[in-house]
Amino acid sequence: MTIVLSSIFLVIFFVVMVTVGVRTRKEATDVNGFVLGGRNVGPWLTAFAFGTSYFSAVIFVGYAGQFGWNFGLASTWAGLGNALIGSLLAWRILGRRTRIMTQSLDSKTMPDFFEKRYNSKALKIASSIIIFIFLIPYTASLYNGLSSLFGMVFSIPYWVIIVVMAVLTGVYVVFGGYMATAINDFIQGIIMLVGIIAVIVAVVNDNGGLLEASKRLSEIPTKGWESGAFSSFFGPDPLSLLFVVLLTSLGTWGLPQMVGKFYAIKSEKDIQKGTTISTIFAFIVAGGCYFVGGFGRLYADKIQYRDNGQPLFDSIIPSMLSTLPGIIVAIVIVLVLSASMSTLSSLVLTSSSTFTLDVIKPIKKDKMSEKSQVNIMRILLVFFIAVSAVIAIIKDANPGLTFIAQMMGVSWGALAGAFLAPFLYGLYSKKASKASVVVCFIWGCGLAVFQFIISMAGIDVSSWGPVLGFVFKSSINSGVVAMVGGLIIVPIVSLITKKPDKGDMDKMFECFDEKVSVPKKEALD
């Protein structure tokens, strides 16, 4: 019955996704339409596009299992952080100003913004290279978790699952561009909302209700605790939990595929509605994922373990679902596929548009037509999807290739560490200098590469002292240090380096004071 239900749901899901792509192809005939949906996207589509790009199968299968195992019910704080910091504050602080300034500068990508805001073509090229290097492994990581879930139901090779997901995502994005992605993200978001609520109810009931499940969880001992650690307010390791919250929440402010959603918002009212919708979406999806993962230790006898006795985190959520009714499993199969495809479409659209507009177009001597640019983006879309799929297949077939997994781990921290501070200060401060951005790029990427080397070499950092040992204990910790460090570096370096031209900055920031019915920084047309 589970196989039949899952198959029916998947067929319907695939037909809808492809149909949307074909029906929206008229919206993607020029660069503005293909990349930004004509800057005419409403609040529901934008909010769901933001949320579904945020949360992938990595969150539901990987992070929910890992952090739930490590912190118990306290891992729910990560979901709350995603809602309040990663969604609510991101929309409040970045949404309106991003929309206004990027339209004023005629900027369609983050590297394009860096060039025009800091008057430096070198920054555009450098940021494009950073995106290319670190976004591809991040894209490949989206396939993680699909293997174990689909393996519960279908007896098919993992590479087939990857290829099917890659091809179908490619079809609708190539046809419809941003608008197809946004509409499908909305549909996929609905599936994710329904799915996670169903999973919460099913898992809690499977363990005798919330009170009984919490009681059983509180009886599990861990290092330094006789009992109660995994049902406590902040869990057994509050400091590590804080770093998880910061990386998964504040990190979205510097990711090009996330802030790019603000470029396409239609109006002021849409920003206000989008803020509320996006926050509620994150609260349910992210909060629900981590809450469910918090009960992972109740399934300790069912999950898989490594040779060293450590749990295989990707097996925790599938093990929890294996005890649930077939209808729930079928819903979750579509849920996880939706989460992965929505994020994949957003990432490859970001990669292809950035590479076309910020690398290929500038080096072409002949002027490129709108049609040529869109066609190149479509070709690159196929290329990036294919590369990510090949990397995922190679990684699965060769578990010994640990560098791929490590590269995936540092991608988020590298991108957020390099871009968050320059983008944020670029929107708000006339004094942020070009030199400060260069230093921040080096800082964020340098820290990520150093973390990558440490992880690959298997260096024991415990002897480096309490501070350095903790920072480089994981890519999560070093990623947070990269982001927070950037927020300190940019203003300090700006103070001691050449200031931007005051006249240029005053003219650039005039866009916020252009009169509509009130200053434009408070309301769009």
Side-chain angles (χ1 to χ4, degrees):
M1 178 60 73
T2 301
I3 296 178
V4 174
L5 287 173
S6 299
S7 300
I8 293 172
F9 286 0
L10 287 174
V11 169
I12 295 173
F13 174 74
F14 291 149
V15 169
V16 171
M17 296 299 104
V18 173
T19 301
V20 168
V22 174
R23 294 290 295 273
T24 55
R25 65 188 185 279
K26 293 181 180 179
E27 307 287 339
T29 55
D30 60 9
V31 173
N32 199 45
F34 192 82
V35 178
L36 300 175
R39 294 187 190 267
N40 197 37
V41 183
W44 285 91
L45 294 185
T46 302
F48 271 67
F50 185 90
T52 54
S53 297
Y54 197 163
F55 309 116
S56 67
V58 177
I59 299 291
F60 182 73
V61 179
Y63 281 178
Q66 178 182 348
F67 301 145
W69 182 273
N70 291 338
F71 307 115
L73 291 181
S75 63
T76 308
W77 282 109
L80 298 180
N82 294 171
L84 298 177
I85 301 173
S87 297
L88 177 62
L89 285 183
W91 277 75
R92 289 290 187 189
I93 294 174
L94 299 179
R96 180 186 292 113
R97 293 185 79 91
T98 298
R99 173 64 170 78
I100 295 171
M101 183 171 273
T102 56
Q103 184 175 26
S104 176
L105 296 176
D106 191 26
S107 167
K108 298 179 179 66
T109 66
M110 185 177 277
D112 193 30
F113 171 83
F114 288 140
E115 178 194 23
K116 293 173 179 175
R117 167 60 183 82
Y118 295 102
N119 191 27
S120 172
K121 187 168 290 186
L123 287 181
K124 177 165 81 169
I125 295 172
S127 54
S128 298
I129 293 172
I130 292 170
I131 290 173
F132 179 77
I133 292 174
F134 290 103
L135 212 55
I136 293 249
Y138 179 33
T139 303
S141 72
L142 300 178
Y143 300 96
N144 288 355
L146 293 176
S147 175
S148 50
L149 275 175
F150 274 78
M152 287 171 49
V153 180
F154 303 104
S155 299
I156 55 177
Y158 180 39
W159 68 267
V160 174
I161 300 168
I162 294 176
V163 170
V164 170
M165 173 179 156
V167 169
L168 289 169
T169 303
V171 167
Y172 75 74
V173 183
V174 167
F175 271 115
Y178 185 86
M179 189 57 72
T181 300
I183 294 174
N184 277 335
D185 284 350
F186 178 76
I187 298 170
Q188 291 160 349
I190 296 294
I191 295 171
M192 291 167 67
L193 287 172
V194 173
I196 195 61
I197 292 172
V199 170
I200 291 172
V201 173
V203 168
V204 170
N205 287 338
D206 188 49
N207 287 279
L210 182 59
L211 293 179
E212 177 62 24
S214 300
K215 178 184 176 183
R216 289 174 54 197
L217 197 63
S218 69
E219 295 170 352
I220 300 174
T222 189
K223 185 178 179 180
W225 294 68
E226 291 185 4
S227 63
F230 299 111
S231 60
S232 62
F233 199 64
F234 291 119
D237 190 354
L239 183 59
S240 294
L241 177 60
L242 174 63
F243 272 65
V244 168
V245 172
L246 289 175
L247 182 73
T248 59
S249 303
L250 188 61
T252 61
W253 295 28
L255 298 181
Q257 75 275 14
M258 299 300 295
V259 297
K261 300 297 184 291
F262 300 134
Y263 290 37
I265 302 172
K266 182 179 179 180
S267 69
E268 164 67 18
K269 290 183 179 179
D270 290 344
I271 292 177
Q272 296 174 348
K273 292 178 182 177
T275 302
T276 302
I277 297 166
S278 179
T279 303
I280 294 173
F281 182 88
F283 180 81
I284 295 173
V285 174
C289 284
Y290 290 116
F291 177 73
V292 167
F295 294 103
R297 286 187 178 256
L298 298 182
Y299 298 81
D301 60 330
K302 296 181 175 65
I303 67 173
Q304 301 173 32
Y305 293 85
R306 303 181 188 276
D307 294 337
N308 61 5
Q310 290 294 318
L312 186 63
F313 293 124
D314 283 0
S315 73
I316 295 176
I317 297 298
S319 297
M320 297 171 70
L321 299 175
S322 65
T323 63
L324 303 182
I327 183 68
I328 300 297
V329 175
I331 291 173
V332 171
I333 290 290
V334 181
L335 180 162
V336 173
L337 196 62
S338 298
S340 295
M341 289 178 66
S342 58
T343 308
L344 176 63
S345 62
S346 177
L347 290 176
V348 295
L349 186 58
T350 299
S351 299
S352 63
S353 60
T354 296
F355 207 76
T356 301
L357 300 177
D358 303 323
V359 178
I360 296 177
K361 184 181 177 183
I363 64 177
K364 288 275 289 185
K365 294 182 179 180
D366 299 329
K367 185 177 180 181
M368 295 176 62
S369 66
E370 292 276 315
K371 185 177 180 180
S372 296
Q373 293 176 56
V374 172
N375 287 337
I376 290 175
M377 286 182 204
R378 287 186 165 123
I379 293 170
L380 287 175
L381 267 168
V382 175
F383 170 76
F384 285 127
I385 290 177
V387 170
S388 67
V390 169
I391 292 174
I393 292 171
I394 292 174
K395 176 180 176 289
D396 180 67
N398 301 274
L401 295 178
T402 55
F403 76 92
I404 294 179
Q406 297 297 343
M407 192 68 177
M408 292 172 178
V410 302
S411 294
W412 182 299
L415 292 165
F419 296 150
L420 191 157
F423 188 79
L424 179 63
Y425 286 114
L427 292 175
Y428 278 89
S429 173
K430 298 179 182 179
K431 297 180 180 180
S433 69
K434 177 172 65 177
S436 71
V437 179
V438 173
V439 174
C440 195
F441 281 7
I442 296 172
W443 163 258
C445 295
L447 210 61
V449 171
F450 187 58
Q451 177 69 64
F452 175 71
I453 294 172
I454 289 173
S455 301
M456 281 299 299
I459 298 173
D460 183 8
V461 298
S462 59
S463 60
W464 291 13
V467 177
L468 288 178
F470 180 78
V471 169
F472 293 105
K473 180 182 178 181
S474 71
S475 58
I476 292 174
N477 297 355
S478 59
V480 171
V481 171
M483 290 189 300
V484 176
L487 293 172
I488 299 170
I489 286 171
V490 170
I492 291 178
V493 175
S494 296
L495 285 175
I496 59 178
T497 55
K498 183 181 178 180
K499 306 293 186 294
D501 183 82
K502 187 176 184 300
D504 290 344
M505 289 298 101
D506 288 342
K507 185 177 180 180
M508 190 176 297
F509 277 73
E510 281 179 357
C511 63
F512 295 119
D513 294 315
E514 178 184 335
K515 295 298 180 180
V516 279
S517 57
V518 294
K520 200 169 183 180
K521 60 187 176 185
E522 298 179 54
L524 300 175
D525 290 319

